[in-house]
């Protein structure tokens, strides 16, 4: 099937970062020049710095990445579970053959009927594929997907904050964070509007370099997740990113973090709102109701536990405070007031893109 294909594409799911799967997946991708699209929970299976990575899919909109997904003539899913992202979102043309590679058989579904299933240890499967395909298939031409990657990277770069910027946005702060954090650092995302931006915009360069709670996901995961990550590897740069609503779900765990002496950065995006719910409400009926919240002084709250805390007022301050917090590996809280209007602007942009270039269903 690979020999017959002209435009193969890999969808890497959560199973692609298990055991040594990502190592062998990267070898396959580099050897054959096959593009990779990650699910939210598969981010980092192939480094987003690799020319073959098209980052992630998972939004409710047809994002730029779908231009490549819909153009593929063969799709290999590696460690993908249909619960990660519904097949009807990406498999509009059920005539395109799908190869299912996973630890378990495929859950056959209206829009997920693999032509071939390779069931077994993913690492072993990919290792064997690498051996058998060596010197038998020439690398595929990248010209069909390279423009898509370029468009995605330009889009991400467009959110970069200038030093003169008066307002912070989640994607703008993420660009700063990506500049500061090491490629082997860990970003843990809570649940909320920021999660979509992290999944879409944050370049992840290693397996388990970005942990996102998805599916039956609960607000409040990031703070205790950061504690666990810091306990496991105290030398690793760890950032737990959350919205104001998610932080308040488990804010009391600041006491636990302080008592255990762990060191990581707690990044709070504050819009005084349950932002993701507001976003969805506005999409459904052009207004949001009963989502606004009145927050405490997060900086004072953190300081009451004896924890270093910042509330930047300028981009320059944010850069310095982020850098100091992340690189010092000390327990620190940074509250960033954010402008949530960027959410609706993204919806409008992607809706226009989807309706003008691809069929929305």
């Amino acid at each position: 099937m690979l020999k017959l294909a002209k435009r193969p594409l890999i969808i890497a799911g959560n199973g692609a970062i298990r055991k040594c799967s990502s190592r062998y997946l990267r070898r396959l991708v580099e050897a054959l020049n096959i593009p990779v699209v990650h699910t939210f929970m598969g981010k980092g299976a192939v480094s987003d710095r690799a020319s073959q990575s098209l980052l992630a899919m998972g939004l409710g909109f047809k994002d730029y990445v779908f231009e490549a997904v819909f153009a593929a003539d063969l799709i290999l899913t590696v460690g993908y579970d249909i619960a990660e992202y519904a097949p009807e979102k990406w498999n509009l043309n059920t005539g395109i053959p799908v190869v299912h590679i996973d630890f378990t058989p495929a859950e056959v579904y209206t829009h997920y009927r693999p032509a071939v299933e390779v069931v077994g240890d993913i690492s072993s499967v990919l290792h064997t594929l690498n051996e058998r395909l060596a010197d038998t298939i020439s690398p595929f031409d990248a010209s069909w997907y390279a423009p898509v990657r370029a468009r995605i990277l330009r889009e991400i770069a467009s959110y970069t904050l200038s030093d003169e910027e008066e307002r912070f946005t989640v994607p703008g702060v993420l660009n700063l964070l990506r500049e500061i954090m090491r490629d082997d650092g860990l970003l843990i995302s809570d649940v909320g509007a920021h999660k979509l931006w992290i999944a879409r915009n944050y370049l992840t360069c290693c397996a388990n370099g970005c942990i996102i709670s998805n599916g039956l996901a609960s607000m409040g995961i990031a703070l205790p997740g950061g504690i666990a990550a810091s306990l496991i590897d105290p030398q690793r740069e760890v950032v737990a990113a959350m919205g104001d609503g998610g932080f308040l779900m488990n804010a009391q765990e600041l006491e636990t973090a302080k008592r255990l002496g762990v060191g990581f950065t707690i990044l709070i995006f504050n819009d005084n709102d349950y932002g993701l719910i507001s976003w969805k409400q506005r999409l459904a009926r052009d207004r949001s109701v009963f989502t606004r919240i009145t927050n405490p002084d997060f900086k004072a709250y953190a300081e009451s536990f004896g924890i270093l805390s910042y509330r930047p007022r300028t981009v320059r301050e944010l850069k310095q405070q982020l850098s100091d917090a992340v690189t010092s590996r000390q327990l620190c809280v940074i509250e960033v007031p954010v402008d949530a209007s960027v959410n609706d602007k993204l919806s409008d942009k992607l809706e226009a893109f989807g309706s003008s270039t691809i069929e929305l269903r």
Side-chain angles (χ1 to χ4, degrees):
M1 294 175 78
L2 275 168
K3 287 179 180 178
L4 292 173
K6 299 292 185 183
R7 300 180 303 279
L9 178 139
I10 292 171
I11 294 177
N14 189 238
I17 60 174
R18 304 294 181 190
K19 298 176 70 175
C20 299
S21 301
S22 61
R23 179 194 309 171
Y24 296 113
L25 177 60
R26 292 180 188 202
R27 288 184 189 174
L28 179 68
V29 165
E30 292 171 1
L32 298 184
N33 212 23
I34 301 176
V36 179
V37 179
H38 305 83
T39 64
F40 283 16
M41 298 179 72
K43 282 175 67 68
V46 171
S47 172
D48 286 333
R49 299 202 189 279
S51 62
Q52 298 85 5
S53 175
L54 301 181
L55 280 68
M57 66 178 184
L59 294 185
F61 296 92
K62 298 300 184 290
D63 209 340
Y64 300 133
V65 64
F66 282 95
E67 196 170 6
V69 175
F70 294 161
D73 60 4
L74 173 66
I75 293 179
L76 289 77
T77 62
V78 178
Y80 164 78
D81 188 304
I82 65 172
E84 293 187 72
Y85 192 52
E88 62 263 32
K89 298 288 188 179
W90 58 266
N91 193 18
L92 299 185
N93 183 356
T94 53
I96 297 176
V98 174
V99 176
H100 172 90
I101 300 173
D102 202 0
F103 297 103
T104 58
E107 186 174 346
V108 177
Y109 189 66
T110 304
H111 290 271
Y112 194 66
R113 301 178 183 181
V116 174
E117 294 187 45
V118 186
V119 180
D121 181 275
I122 296 176
S123 300
S124 298
V125 170
L126 295 176
H127 175 67
T128 304
L129 268 178
N130 282 317
E131 286 190 331
R132 296 192 181 185
L133 294 176
D135 303 321
T136 63
I137 298 181
S138 299
F140 291 95
D141 184 359
S143 62
W144 72 277
Y145 67 83
V148 179
R149 174 176 167 82
R151 185 204 296 264
I152 292 170
L153 294 180
R154 284 197 305 271
E155 160 74 4
I156 293 172
S158 71
Y159 293 101
T160 299
L161 299 171
S162 67
D163 288 341
E164 292 72 34
E165 204 83 37
E166 295 183 355
R167 295 183 178 181
F168 300 118
T169 65
V170 172
V173 175
L174 291 176
N175 283 356
L176 288 178
L177 184 64
R178 180 64 282 173
E179 292 177 13
I180 293 166
M181 285 190 74
R182 293 165 50 99
D183 281 358
D184 60 359
L186 170 60
L187 175 62
I188 304 175
S189 175
D190 211 275
V191 177
H194 64 280
K195 180 181 84 168
L196 302 185
W197 287 108
I198 288 172
R200 181 180 188 266
N201 285 37
Y202 184 75
L203 273 64
T204 305
C205 306
C206 65
N208 290 312
C210 180
I211 294 177
I212 296 176
S213 178
N214 211 27
L216 295 174
S218 296
M219 297 169 68
I221 179 183
L223 180 49
I227 295 173
S230 188
L231 286 171
I232 291 170
D233 190 352
Q235 299 307 310
R236 191 179 191 187
E237 292 181 351
V238 176
V239 174
M242 61 206 76
D244 45 336
F247 174 69
L248 287 176
M249 296 290 176
N250 268 328
Q252 76 284 349
E253 296 302 340
L254 285 184
E255 186 279 330
T256 307
K258 180 66 176 179
R259 174 166 38 84
L260 295 179
V262 294
F264 67 101
T265 301
I266 299 162
L267 181 59
I268 305 172
F269 295 113
N270 184 8
D271 62 355
N272 294 291
D273 194 8
Y274 290 114
L276 183 57
I277 304 304
S278 292
W279 193 355
K280 291 184 176 182
Q281 286 181 344
R282 287 193 297 271
L283 286 172
R285 49 182 173 175
D286 296 322
R287 65 189 181 99
S288 62
V289 293
F290 304 120
T291 59
R292 300 293 294 174
I293 54 179
T294 303
N295 285 315
D297 184 329
F298 291 132
K299 185 175 184 294
Y301 179 74
E303 289 171 346
S304 72
F305 289 96
I307 298 172
L308 183 64
S309 181
Y310 298 110
R311 186 186 296 117
R313 295 165 297 178
T314 66
V315 173
R316 290 181 187 275
E317 285 186 359
L318 175 60
K319 285 181 180 178
Q320 188 61 55
Q321 292 165 4
L322 264 179
S323 180
D324 291 346
V326 172
T327 57
S328 69
R329 297 180 181 83
Q330 294 182 356
L331 186 61
C332 178
V333 171
I334 302 179
E335 177 199 345
V336 183
V338 292
D339 178 2
S341 65
V342 70
N343 299 339
D344 294 326
K345 291 175 182 176
L346 177 65
S347 302
D348 295 340
K349 184 192 304 183
L350 294 185
E351 187 172 13
F353 169 76
S355 61
S356 64
T357 60
I358 54 182
E359 182 182 358
L360 290 171
R361 296 187 180 181

